[in-house]
């Protein structure tokens, strides 16, 4: 048997895109969602200031970021800076079984 050539029957997708994909050179300015409640739109600039001041890029070190947060709690850059109760630990067999059965196992 000879292989057949199907050059005349090339697949053309039904969807057509207009133009090339062009991504903006600069990100869009932050703004409230068009359907946000009026009070959210009024206080958006306050929210933006708080958000920018609490971003990780603005914090120079863990000590300075934890002193900024005050009573809200400390911010830890690495897990060993946190108290040991927050560290990762090895799971016990009964805990693994509990997760695998979706909580249906009895312990």
């Amino acid at each position: 048997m000879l292989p057949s050539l199907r050059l005349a029957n090339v697949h053309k997708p039904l969807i057509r895109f207009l133009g090339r994909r062009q991504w903006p050179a600069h990100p869009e300015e932050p703004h409230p969602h068009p359907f946000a409640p009026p009070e959210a739109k009024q206080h958006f600039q306050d929210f933006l200031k708080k958000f920018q001041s609490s971003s990780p890029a603005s914090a120079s070190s863990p000590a300075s970021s934890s002193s900024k947060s005050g009573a809200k709690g400390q911010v830890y850059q690495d897990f060993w800076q946190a108290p040991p109760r927050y560290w990762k630990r090895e799971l016990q067999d009964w805990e693994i079984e509990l997760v695998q059965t979706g909580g249906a196992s009895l312990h």
Side-chain angles (χ1 to χ4, degrees):
M1 274 184 24
L2 297 172
S4 62
L5 297 175
R6 296 182 62 183
L7 296 176
N9 210 4
V10 177
H11 172 72
K12 287 188 178 181
L14 296 175
I15 187 169
R16 307 230 191 255
F17 295 100
L18 301 176
R20 297 183 61 149
R21 293 183 191 172
Q22 295 180 0
W23 305 104
H26 301 289
E28 187 176 326
E29 289 294 320
H31 61 279
H33 193 276
F35 294 116
E39 60 270 4
K41 290 181 181 181
Q42 291 172 353
H43 299 292
F44 183 74
Q45 292 303 322
D46 297 334
F47 163 76
L48 198 57
K49 288 178 187 175
K50 288 180 184 178
F51 179 73
Q52 289 174 346
S53 68
S54 67
S55 67
S58 66
S60 58
S61 68
S64 65
S65 64
S66 64
S67 64
K68 289 180 187 176
S69 61
K72 292 183 181 179
Q74 292 183 330
V75 178
Y76 303 105
Q77 298 296 328
D78 296 307
F79 76 91
W80 58 81
Q81 295 171 336
R85 66 178 180 265
Y86 296 124
W87 294 5
K88 292 181 181 179
R89 62 177 176 80
E90 293 295 321
L91 295 175
Q92 298 176 5
D93 290 337
W94 69 269
E95 293 173 311
I96 295 172
E97 183 181 345
L98 190 67
V99 170
Q100 289 179 339
T101 59
S105 67
L106 296 175
H107 179 265

